[in-house]
Amino acid sequence: MDREQFIRASVTTRVYEKNLLTSNNIQRLVDSSNLSEAISLLNDSSYGEFMKDINRNEEYEKALLSMLKESYKKIRKISPDKNLIVFLEEKYNFHNLKVLVKELIQDADYSTAYMDIGTIDLSAIKKAIKSDFKTFDDVYITYAQNALDLYEDTKDPQDIDLSLDRNFYQKLLIDAKNLAFDSLVDFTRQRIDLVNLKSLLRIKGQNQSIDLLKKALIDGGFINKNNFILGFNQDMGLLANFFINEKTYPLVKKALDSKDLKEATRMIEKAIDDYLLDFAKDSKKVSYGPEVILGYLINREMEIKNLRIILVAKQNMLSREFIEERLRNLYV
């Protein structure tokens, strides 16, 4: 990847970064006494232009989504390599594929569940599958068809998610390699390891079988899948040893210090996001390059995730402790 191509886009992105919320902004939101006060604070921020479009405070999700869509639109417009943006959009592509597959199976309309972000043509995919095309020249059609075929074999709805989750991370790895962006490849492989650990903890915590774990594990990480299978019956504290040579070891060790499986699983979920933010923070170390663009979008997404945590808590009158233990490290 030619870093020189990103000079102009990096300069523009640095300007966009000035509209990200500061730690002080987030702290004031945490300190707010109720949802109405939190919304009032957001009205005075870069979110104000989107907040004016909602009729009730409880409709804040519309404003958050509008900000997310606008951020992607601006970065897609200036990025010299659109495939870089596709890497981050893949999660929305696969979310939409899950919705589409469930629509086909249940013959229902879940159009309100689709995310209006991503690059795939959902109507074309649905038409191709309904037409029973035997040759698929679109990889996303193949992913959707594979999930449908697996469901037809097992009649187990969770197999839809398992199939598409595996394809999602495999596609991320393909995207990163095609971009010839070595640090992004390594990051993706380490993320796969964290996701595999989360699957182990979740399945173990739900007293489900090791066979389900075998189906859930994803190829492509630095840690061999067999280690997670062997770890299924090991003491939770020993699982950190799998990560001892990885950058993610401190995050994993902290999570697994908890003796409660449910809490450890929640902390690993948070660790996955925190590791994503660590990758984004590296963009501050360079003057220009693809990291700057990725860093901005990652920070925006995590900002919105933090806002969602705060606003849901305010709406439901949940405790400050509930908020603070769930906020991502961007502002903590």
Side-chain angles (χ1 to χ4, degrees):
M1 179 169 284
D2 184 1
R3 304 181 64 82
E4 301 294 322
Q5 292 183 343
F6 287 86
I7 294 176
R8 179 176 295 181
S10 296
V11 171
T12 303
T13 302
R14 294 299 189 201
V15 175
Y16 293 157
E17 286 177 346
K18 297 182 186 301
N19 285 325
L20 291 168
L21 299 183
T22 66
S23 57
N24 184 56
N25 294 144
I26 292 297
Q27 191 59 55
R28 290 180 66 196
L29 286 163
V30 173
D31 292 339
S32 63
S33 56
N34 52 47
L35 179 62
S36 179
E37 184 179 340
I39 295 297
S40 179
L41 289 169
L42 283 176
N43 274 321
D44 295 331
S45 73
S46 56
Y47 285 80
E49 63 177 296
F50 305 111
M51 286 294 173
K52 66 178 172 38
D53 294 328
I54 66 175
N55 298 315
R56 300 183 305 116
N57 288 340
E58 291 77 10
E59 295 176 346
Y60 54 79
E61 187 62 38
K62 293 180 182 178
L64 299 184
L65 182 56
S66 293
M67 172 61 91
L68 182 63
K69 288 164 60 177
E70 179 65 18
S71 298
Y72 265 93
K73 180 181 176 181
K74 290 193 299 187
I75 293 298
R76 176 173 280 279
K77 185 176 180 179
I78 65 171
S79 176
D81 190 336
K82 308 307 180 196
N83 290 323
L84 192 66
I85 314 306
V86 171
F87 177 86
L88 288 180
E89 288 179 330
E90 292 289 14
K91 57 183 167 290
Y92 306 113
N93 289 334
F94 277 85
H95 165 84
N96 289 340
L97 280 181
K98 288 180 182 180
V99 176
L100 182 148
V101 168
K102 290 169 186 177
E103 279 187 330
L104 291 171
I105 288 172
Q106 298 172 16
D107 192 23
D109 179 7
Y110 297 137
S111 54
T112 58
Y114 285 116
M115 290 288 292
D116 191 18
I117 303 176
T119 55
I120 61 177
D121 187 338
L122 293 165
S123 61
I125 293 173
K126 185 179 289 189
K127 181 179 179 181
I129 292 173
K130 283 186 172 181
S131 300
D132 195 25
F133 288 174
K134 297 303 181 184
T135 302
F136 304 119
D137 58 0
D138 184 309
V139 67
Y140 297 102
I141 296 175
T142 303
Y143 293 150
Q145 188 64 58
N146 287 344
L148 282 166
D149 290 345
L150 182 59
Y151 174 78
E152 287 303 316
D153 287 341
T154 67
K155 300 301 181 184
D156 187 345
Q158 72 178 338
D159 281 339
I160 299 168
D161 288 343
L162 290 175
S163 176
L164 288 171
D165 284 343
R166 285 195 302 271
N167 289 151
F168 167 58
Y169 285 101
Q170 289 163 4
K171 183 65 165 61
L172 281 185
L173 203 51
I174 291 169
D175 290 349
K177 289 177 179 177
N178 287 341
L179 284 165
F181 190 175
D182 290 343
S183 61
L184 191 61
V185 173
D186 289 346
F187 162 78
T188 304
R189 295 185 67 189
Q190 288 158 349
R191 188 175 169 191
I192 288 171
D193 291 333
L194 289 173
V195 170
N196 281 339
L197 176 61
K198 183 183 77 169
S199 295
L200 188 160
L201 295 175
R202 176 178 54 80
I203 290 168
K204 192 171 182 177
Q206 294 172 352
N207 293 317
Q208 299 195 61
S209 72
I210 194 170
D211 290 332
L212 179 59
L213 175 64
K214 291 175 181 178
K215 289 200 295 184
L217 290 173
I218 301 163
D219 289 311
F222 284 109
I223 299 172
N224 191 296
K225 288 195 309 182
N226 288 331
N227 286 346
F228 294 103
I229 294 170
L230 292 171
F232 188 76
N233 294 314
Q234 291 183 4
D235 180 78
M236 191 165 65
L238 297 176
L239 298 176
N241 293 334
F242 297 157
F243 292 80
I244 200 163
N245 294 318
E246 292 205 40
K247 291 181 180 178
T248 54
Y249 177 73
L251 294 171
V252 171
K253 182 69 167 60
K254 182 179 178 181
L256 294 181
D257 279 344
S258 171
K259 300 303 179 184
D260 180 73
L261 268 171
K262 185 177 180 181
E263 177 64 11
T265 304
R266 186 188 68 77
M267 291 183 69
I268 287 296
E269 289 176 348
K270 184 175 182 293
I272 292 170
D273 284 345
D274 288 342
Y275 184 57
L276 189 62
L277 283 167
D278 286 343
F279 181 83
K281 287 174 185 175
D282 286 342
S283 68
K284 298 295 184 182
K285 301 175 183 177
V286 298
S287 299
Y288 57 86
E291 299 93 339
V292 178
I293 286 177
L294 287 176
Y296 169 75
L297 286 175
I298 290 169
N299 274 300
R300 178 66 82 190
E301 288 183 328
M302 291 302 164
E303 173 182 279
I304 289 172
K305 181 171 284 191
N306 279 343
L307 287 178
R308 189 173 290 116
I309 291 167
I310 294 169
L311 296 175
V312 167
K314 298 300 178 183
Q315 182 178 354
N316 294 282
M317 296 179 288
L318 300 175
S319 70
R320 183 190 185 93
E321 180 183 8
F322 174 92
I323 297 173
E324 291 183 339
E325 69 183 9
R326 285 166 174 78
L327 284 183
R328 274 37 185 176
N329 279 345
L330 188 60
Y331 302 113
V332 176

